Amino acid sequence: MIAVDIAGMQASEVLASKIKSRILSNDTMNPVYGAAYFNSAFDQINYVFGTDYKEKSSSNDVQLYIKNMNLIYGDNYLSASKLKAKTALGLLDPFLYYSAYALATGKDFEYPMIEFGDYKYLPAFRGIFTPYGLESKWLNHFKNSYTPFQINFSQGKHKTGTSFGAEVIIDKITEKGHLDIGCNLAIWKQPKLLYLDPLKAPNKRGYSFEMNLKLNLDETKAIYSALGYKTSGFRLGYPLKATPLIRVGLAFKL
């Protein structure tokens, strides 16, 4: 039930992440990507701070998230103020302001990054809602002349201890003709999900890995696919249970 409560906002998070990958593959931000990124990345902030917590609603996902978390973990485990404080981390995202600027001006522009040697770098932060509590995520975006990549970390405190996670996302490790080959790896330690008594759930390690393939048909179109595996556990945008991972899709450059 909790996973369903937060699924809508997390769908927007996944979309924002995909759009940001496109932005990172270029040196410029354009108004189309700006509009798409701002609307998706700002969705969680807008939802949490735009909710009237005094007026109870049986269909408001944020209120349902707080209610169900407290039903499982005890009164006052989660409150509107805690949710707002964690959500405010999303304001520490340079791409949010770059996209707003591109949207407001209607112009393409080269967005700044911190340069050191052959690399460029930008940090960002997000608050993550999980089925066992709140986590803080520190995102590290890197670019070199060959490919963009990310090294991200997350951490949170919950009833049975501390959760943590780390992920490495590399768009292109190598290329074979028109085929780009990348990877998406993650490890974590968190309470075991779908456990009979969540208050006694042991903390378990888990992982996921994917090999990403991008076949460039021409300068504007590509076919994406990903193959991998994920153990049981929470990772944003993935099933909760252990499962093989197969993804196929089309991409169009705007």
Side-chain angles (χ1 to χ4, degrees):
M1 288 176 63
I2 290 174
V4 172
D5 292 340
I6 57 182
M9 287 180 288
Q10 292 185 345
S12 296
E13 291 274 317
V14 172
L15 177 59
S17 178
K18 295 297 182 183
I19 297 168
K20 183 168 60 180
S21 294
R22 297 290 191 85
I23 295 169
L24 282 166
S25 65
N26 301 313
D27 291 322
T28 59
M29 170 80 78
N30 65 52
V32 176
Y33 283 142
Y37 184 79
F38 186 87
N39 285 327
S40 53
F42 196 72
D43 181 66
Q44 179 175 286
I45 300 170
N46 182 54
Y47 207 161
V48 170
F49 284 91
T51 293
D52 184 355
Y53 296 93
K54 294 180 181 179
E55 183 178 337
K56 300 300 179 182
S57 170
S58 60
S59 61
N60 183 285
D61 292 338
V62 176
Q63 291 182 352
L64 286 173
Y65 180 55
I66 295 173
K67 175 184 176 182
N68 288 327
M69 290 294 285
N70 289 335
L71 282 174
I72 292 176
Y73 293 106
D75 292 343
N76 300 319
Y77 176 71
L78 187 59
S79 64
S81 59
K82 291 178 181 178
L83 207 62
K84 288 179 179 179
K86 192 66 69 175
T87 300
L89 285 174
L91 295 172
L92 301 176
D93 176 7
F95 292 99
L96 194 66
Y97 301 100
Y98 295 163
S99 61
Y101 179 80
L103 183 58
T105 62
K107 298 179 180 179
D108 295 18
F109 75 98
E110 185 174 348
Y111 57 88
M113 298 183 74
I114 301 168
E115 296 189 29
F116 54 99
D118 295 330
Y119 291 87
K120 296 180 179 181
Y121 168 72
L122 265 184
F125 298 88
R126 299 292 292 179
I128 305 298
F129 304 167
T130 81
Y132 47 82
L134 302 175
E135 289 187 339
S136 302
K137 190 168 186 177
W138 175 27
L139 300 104
N140 297 280
H141 308 95
F142 297 90
K143 289 180 67 172
N144 57 22
S145 58
Y146 188 67
T147 185
F149 60 97
Q150 297 181 48
I151 303 175
N152 305 325
F153 304 96
S154 59
Q155 185 269 339
K157 292 184 178 180
H158 49 80
K159 280 287 187 178
T160 59
T162 300
S163 62
F164 68 84
E167 59 185 10
V168 176
I169 304 169
I170 305 176
D171 285 2
K172 183 170 64 175
I173 298 175
T174 186
E175 58 183 331
K176 304 290 184 182
H178 294 288
L179 182 66
D180 296 342
I181 303 174
C183 70
N184 188 327
L185 312 172
I187 58 171
W188 59 79
K189 183 179 180 182
Q190 59 188 225
K192 185 175 181 179
L193 298 180
L194 308 174
Y195 197 73
L196 184 62
D197 184 355
L199 292 174
K200 297 180 181 179
N203 291 303
K204 293 288 187 179
R205 291 182 173 86
Y207 65 88
S208 72
F209 68 88
E210 287 179 288
M211 181 175 67
N212 299 323
L213 305 174
K214 177 188 175 187
L215 179 61
N216 298 292
L217 302 177
D218 55 36
E219 293 184 356
T220 60
K221 296 185 290 294
I223 298 174
Y224 278 91
S225 64
L227 299 172
Y229 182 79
K230 175 190 169 295
T231 63
S232 177
F234 172 80
R235 189 184 180 196
L236 184 68
Y238 290 79
L240 296 180
K241 294 183 178 181
T243 180
L245 300 170
I246 303 174
R247 304 172 189 262
V248 179
L250 296 174
F252 300 91
K253 186 176 181 180
L254 301 176

